[in-house]
Amino acid sequence: MPDSIDPALPERFPGRTRKRAGTDLLAADVHARLRTRILTFEIQPGSRLVEDEISASLGVGRTPVREALLRLQGEGLVSRRKGWVVESTDADCIDRVFESRVAIEGYATRLATLRASSADICDLMALVEEMDGFDTMSRAALNQLNRAFHERIVTLSGNPFFVEMHERTQFHYWNMRLPVLFTREQAVMTNEQHRLILGALSSGDPDDAERHARAHVATTHRIVRDALDG
Amino acid sequence: MPDSIDPALPERFPGRTRKRAGTDLLAADVHARLRTRILTFEIQPGSRLVEDEISASLGVGRTPVREALLRLQGEGLVSRRKGWVVESTDADCIDRVFESRVAIEGYATRLATLRASSADICDLMALVEEMDGFDTMSRAALNQLNRAFHERIVTLSGNPFFVEMHERTQFHYWNMRLPVLFTREQAVMTNEQHRLILGALSSGDPDDAERHARAHVATTHRIVRDALDG
DNA sequence: TGTTTGTTCCTTGCGTGCAGCGCACGGGAC
DNA sequence: GTCCCGTGCGCTGCACGCAAGGAACAAACA
């Protein structure tokens, strides 16, 4: 997989600037780059990551590369099995991921009901309405909006733990290549459910909000599973 | 929990053995040691950790120490603010931790209801009955049993994500020195609630199980908050 | 006296050399 | 032909040195 390590960014880090702005910038940068490449499948699951190659290709030493890999390991994106290997999310894992999402997003939505301001709800409504234009949008754009909606609700829970846990599940979620997501009817259903959640949110009914959120995640689970089986 | 963490940690690392058994042993060991010391408050929240000092005191190089600290950072036990600092869990954080526990343990208990075998339930029942002897036990032993009960249920969810998330909350949970936990009446109430959960588990009622689990965590939350306020 | 600047030390960020696992490959024996 | 063992190499685990950044303290100037 060395070839896939972004041929397009030959020397950033110009002449070994070594700019060290307080906290480790290099490691953070390497981490971000690697993570992006992994999540976009530019580096495929299962491929080996060699410290020297990354370090050479990015023009940094092995130490920041090492730290980046360590962080990726903590995020569950790579593992150390006789060298660094990009983790893959198998079908069996999907059920586990969605179970987590039900628990996390369900309760986060409950909390959001108690804490969201009317301005927050307006923002969410704007997102939902934007998603109504699914007929004229790319699936990627739709996906982005969808993600934004869920992310924002979780953030509105006001609890950073939920944000972190949610983010963690997203890694694995992205990690399975979702074949065809967001057919037209799926988009319709998604928007319907988003409106249900939003309705509960704005009427301040936590039970309803949690119930709808759970149902929505369950629906998505079903869609994903069907897509993978079919 | 702190009491149970093996306070007897004499100087291992005899004369710089350097035995490298495949995967990094040193880093893992340093990590475990540091974590133990932090969770037992041998190293107090807020204190600075200096890489050189740790490395010298353990007789290893800075690299494994660094990796250990990085892992601790990932676990939320230390942070990097101009050097390594042991995180403290402030009162404000407690509410967030318990919110997570409600979501995680609640849903984990629901899953456990669907997946636990009768043998598993017997094991749990044995734990509960052992806890009935609270009058003749130390608080530490009681705490240990309590932890075992919760841990086992989360494990019975069959979902490693829940186990990991639960463990994560426990770190912060331990991180606040709980003053007087498990007074007699609290022990009575705890056992009552454990039995309710177990009852729902054995009768296979997921809704009830989740409800009771949530209520139990909420009760504990109240106890802890009272203990900290009073 | 207050503010600003210079200096020094402390600690981490980073690079790098070295050595030891393990795996793959190849050669010999049965 | 198959199995076993030796050997080489790829890669990581670890130690260590260097320098940058920042904080604290001191000194000088307004």
Side-chain angles (χ1 to χ4, degrees), chain A residues 38-59:
Chain A
I38 290 172
L39 291 178
T40 58
F41 296 106
E42 189 181 326
I43 306 177
Q44 302 237 344
S47 40
R48 290 177 59 82
L49 293 176
V50 178
E51 296 179 358
D52 272 334
E53 285 171 8
I54 299 170
S55 126
S57 81
L58 293 180

Side-chain angles (χ1 to χ4, degrees), chain B residues 53-92:
Chain B
E53 284 173 7
I54 300 169
S55 130
S57 81
L58 293 179
V60 299
R62 268 178 59 209
T63 310
V65 172
R66 203 133 214 290
E67 184 171 333
L69 288 169
L70 250 10
R71 271 156 87 171
L72 290 173
Q73 182 187 26
E75 293 170 351
L77 288 177
V78 306
S79 63
R80 275 204 277 201
R81 300 199 308 259
K82 306 300 160 208
W84 299 98
V85 178
V86 178
E87 277 286 349
S88 57
T89 303
D90 54 349
D92 189 65

Side-chain angles (χ1 to χ4, degrees), chain A:
Chain A
M1 254 316 100
D3 337 82
S4 70
I5 293 235
D6 180 12
L9 79 140
E11 309 321 318
R12 238 201 82 189
F13 305 119
R16 189 66 58 79
T17 26
R18 214 131 179 295
K19 265 301 177 199
R20 284 195 60 216
T23 43
D24 53 344
L25 267 190
L26 287 189
D29 209 346
V30 173
H31 168 76
R33 268 157 207 287
L34 245 31
R35 200 176 74 165
T36 301
R37 294 205 188 115
I38 290 172
L39 291 178
T40 58
F41 296 106
E42 189 181 326
I43 306 177
Q44 302 237 344
S47 40
R48 290 177 59 82
L49 293 176
V50 178
E51 296 179 358
D52 272 334
E53 285 171 8
I54 299 170
S55 126
S57 81
L58 293 180
V60 301
R62 269 178 59 210
T63 309
V65 171
R66 202 133 217 288
E67 182 170 335
L69 288 169
L70 250 9
R71 270 156 87 170
L72 290 172
Q73 182 187 27
E75 293 169 350
L77 288 177
V78 305
S79 63
R80 273 203 279 199
R81 297 159 35 110
K82 306 299 158 208
W84 299 98
V85 178
V86 178
E87 277 287 348
S88 57
T89 303
D90 54 349
D92 189 64
C93 184
I94 291 174
D95 293 337
R96 308 285 163 271
V97 171
F98 273 97
E99 280 170 2
S100 312
R101 280 194 63 188
V102 170
I104 294 165
E105 292 199 40
Y107 205 80
T109 308
R110 166 181 290 272
L111 292 176
T113 307
L114 307 173
R115 290 171 188 165
S117 71
S118 50
D120 296 328
I121 293 176
C122 282
D123 286 351
L124 284 172
M125 184 50 88
L127 270 178
V128 171
E129 282 168 0
E130 200 175 343
M131 283 185 74
D132 281 337
F134 48 78
D135 273 331
T136 61
M137 299 172 72
S138 69
R139 275 210 307 271
L142 206 52
N143 237 312
Q144 177 116 2
L145 285 174
N146 183 49
R147 238 180 332 120
F149 180 82
H150 286 269
E151 236 174 69
R152 197 164 298 181
I153 285 191
V154 172
T155 305
L156 286 180
S157 75
N159 189 326
F161 289 122
F162 282 89
V163 175
E164 194 195 327
M165 293 187 293
H166 176 69
E167 195 184 357
R168 190 73 70 98
T169 65
Q170 290 303 87
F171 288 154
H172 290 275
Y173 187 41
W174 295 330
N175 215 356
M176 42 197 184
R177 295 172 172 279
L178 293 183
V180 234
L181 207 50
F182 279 131
T183 62
R184 194 174 187 291
E185 62 179 334
Q186 284 163 7
V188 171
M189 196 187 319
T190 297
N191 280 20
E192 246 169 48
Q193 294 186 325
H194 281 184
R195 278 181 210 282
L196 283 176
I197 294 171
L198 206 45
L201 254 169
S202 58
S203 68
D205 186 333
D207 289 332
D208 247 30
E210 181 167 18
R211 204 155 39 79
H212 288 310
R214 286 191 172 190
H216 177 46
V217 175
T219 301
T220 310
H221 188 184
R222 224 171 299 123
I223 291 175
V224 168
R225 201 155 46 182
D226 287 350
L228 290 175
D229 284 353

Side-chain angles (χ1 to χ4, degrees), chain B residues 19-20 22 48-52 62 66 80 83-84:
Chain B
K19 264 303 177 198
R20 282 198 61 217
R48 290 177 59 82
L49 293 176
V50 178
E51 295 180 359
D52 272 333
R62 268 178 59 209
R66 203 133 214 290
R80 275 204 277 201
W84 299 98

Side-chain angles (χ1 to χ4, degrees), chain B residues 66-192:
Chain B
R66 203 133 214 290
E67 184 171 333
L69 288 169
L70 250 10
R71 271 156 87 171
L72 290 173
Q73 182 187 26
E75 293 170 351
L77 288 177
V78 306
S79 63
R80 275 204 277 201
R81 300 199 308 259
K82 306 300 160 208
W84 299 98
V85 178
V86 178
E87 277 286 349
S88 57
T89 303
D90 54 349
D92 189 65
C93 184
I94 291 174
D95 293 337
R96 308 284 163 272
V97 171
F98 272 98
E99 280 170 2
S100 312
R101 281 194 64 188
V102 170
I104 294 164
E105 292 200 41
Y107 205 80
T109 308
R110 166 180 290 273
L111 292 176
T113 308
L114 308 172
R115 292 170 187 165
S117 71
S118 49
D120 296 328
I121 292 176
C122 282
D123 286 351
L124 284 171
M125 183 50 88
L127 270 177
V128 171
E129 280 168 3
E130 201 174 343
M131 283 185 76
D132 281 335
F134 49 75
D135 273 330
T136 62
M137 299 172 71
S138 70
R139 277 209 307 269
L142 206 53
N143 237 312
Q144 178 119 359
L145 285 175
N146 182 49
R147 229 182 342 116
F149 180 82
H150 287 269
E151 234 173 70
R152 196 164 298 180
I153 286 191
V154 172
T155 305
L156 286 180
S157 75
N159 189 326
F161 289 122
F162 281 89
V163 175
E164 193 194 328
M165 293 187 293
H166 176 70
E167 195 184 355
R168 189 75 68 99
T169 66
Q170 290 302 87
F171 288 153
H172 289 274
Y173 189 41
W174 295 331
N175 214 357
M176 41 198 184
R177 295 170 172 280
L178 293 184
V180 234
L181 206 50
F182 280 129
T183 62
R184 195 174 185 290
E185 61 180 337
Q186 284 162 7
V188 171
M189 197 187 320
T190 298
N191 281 20
E192 246 168 47

